Amino acid sequence: MLQGVDLEILEGELTVIVGPNGCGKSTLLLALARILRPSAGTVELDGRAVTSMPPREVARRLAFLPQAPLGPDGIRVRDLVARGRHPHQGFLRALSAEDHRVIDEVLLATDTLDLSTRRVSELSGGQRQRVWIAMALAQETSLLLLDEPTTFLDVAHQIDVLDTCARLHHEGRTVVAVLHDLNLAVRYATHLVLMKDGAVVAQGRPQEVLTTDLVEQVFGIRAHLVADPEGWPLVVPVRSDVLARRAGASPSAVHAKQATPTTPTEGSV
């Protein structure tokens, strides 16, 4: 549940929302996307209450990609991306020349053009996420909301998806993403939002807002904050006392397991 959230999504920024599990990150994104109606207060889009706007108009202004989206069985990449054109189509939903142009453009922008004839189910996790982003881009909105787009992906695919987000941001789109990995969030965000217990605790440029005290306040862990080899802030958690004791434990038990058994002497059992 959100509690008195006062947040402005800055135009032209790559905003990343972070915080512990259950702190309200996804709920906030669902409210921004007009999927959840706030019990108090308003969510405004370009100065208008988003709940007062027709769904088709909202879909022309913002695109929302939920966690782990599912497409129809056997659907091919181009057909899935084409679904992003629905807010711009008439009653018959026939694809126009303009629709095909946009589809080609977003496939190229997400580096998925060569995948267009393949089934979505055949793709790797990173490829699938880029295809879903392409579908969202096909809506031709200036605002893109992504709820945990790197969940269940390995490190290489996480970087792949976030590089795509960064490229879209550099091309002028406003991107908002919920992420779990604080260090990836710091590296990609131009505006960082930290949440805890349904409230926004801090927000701003990652280099300016992030401190060890804030990490402990939000995530409940002690950490060092250092610069990584590329100059980005890096959060290094302090190991717990239990782990520290394990690291300093006597290695004799390991040596005993690796020792060569002796040959039994005569008369031994």
Side-chain angles (χ1 to χ4, degrees):
M1 180 180 293
L2 301 180
Q3 302 180 31
V5 171
D6 186 5
L7 175 65
E8 181 180 3
I9 301 301
L10 303 176
E11 186 176 358
E13 299 283 355
L14 200 171
T15 297
V16 177
I17 305 171
V18 297
N21 289 343
C23 72
K25 302 184 298 295
S26 295
T27 301
L28 174 58
L29 216 61
L30 290 170
L32 294 177
R34 194 186 175 275
I35 295 172
L36 289 181
R37 179 186 291 267
S39 58
T42 59
V43 176
E44 295 184 354
L45 178 61
D46 296 331
R48 296 172 57 192
V50 69
T51 51
S52 70
M53 301 169 63
R56 182 177 288 264
E57 183 178 354
V58 174
R60 289 175 176 172
R61 291 171 177 259
L62 68 83
F64 172 65
L65 185 61
Q67 297 181 34
L70 296 174
D73 289 340
I75 192 169
R76 297 186 184 273
V77 167
R78 189 178 184 86
D79 294 331
L80 179 64
V81 174
R83 293 185 170 218
R85 297 301 299 162
H86 286 180
H88 303 277
Q89 293 174 328
F91 177 74
L92 296 178
R93 291 187 174 180
L95 291 175
S96 65
E98 174 65 9
D99 291 328
H100 285 293
R101 183 195 67 77
V102 172
I103 292 168
D104 288 337
E105 186 177 274
V106 299
L107 287 170
L108 185 62
T110 54
D111 195 25
T112 53
L113 186 60
D114 61 334
L115 305 175
S116 59
T117 61
R118 293 181 59 182
R119 288 184 171 84
V120 175
S121 59
E122 299 172 348
L123 305 181
S124 69
Q127 289 173 328
R128 279 197 301 272
Q129 284 296 75
R130 284 190 282 119
V131 167
W132 282 106
I133 292 174
M135 188 196 74
L137 291 178
Q139 289 180 224
E140 286 194 300
T141 65
S142 59
L143 175 58
L144 181 61
L145 308 177
L146 307 172
D147 192 4
E148 300 186 19
T150 60
T151 299
F152 307 124
L153 300 183
D154 60 34
V155 173
H157 285 132
Q158 289 179 40
I159 297 297
D160 190 18
V161 169
L162 292 175
D163 280 349
T164 299
C165 293
R167 186 168 62 251
L168 295 171
H169 162 250
H170 287 305
E171 291 172 356
R173 294 181 188 265
T174 300
V175 180
V176 183
V178 167
L179 295 180
H180 276 298
D181 191 310
L182 181 56
N183 283 321
L184 283 178
V186 169
R187 172 165 290 210
Y188 283 90
T190 63
H191 189 79
L192 185 68
V193 177
L194 294 101
M195 295 186 64
K196 182 181 180 181
D197 297 332
V200 174
V201 176
Q203 59 178 305
R205 299 287 177 188
Q207 298 90 333
E208 299 171 358
V209 73
L210 198 64
T211 65
T212 54
D213 288 342
L214 183 60
V215 172
E216 184 168 5
Q217 176 188 353
V218 173
F219 294 96
I221 60 170
R222 293 181 299 126
H224 301 291
L225 192 60
V226 299
D228 71 11
E230 295 188 4
W232 298 96
L234 180 67
V235 178
V236 183
V238 175
R239 293 203 305 176
S240 69
D241 293 338
V242 172
L243 290 176
R245 286 197 297 270
R246 288 179 182 174
S250 169
S252 58
V254 176
H255 288 173
K257 291 180 181 179
Q258 295 176 343
T260 303
T262 57
T263 302
T265 57
E266 185 177 355
S268 65
V269 180

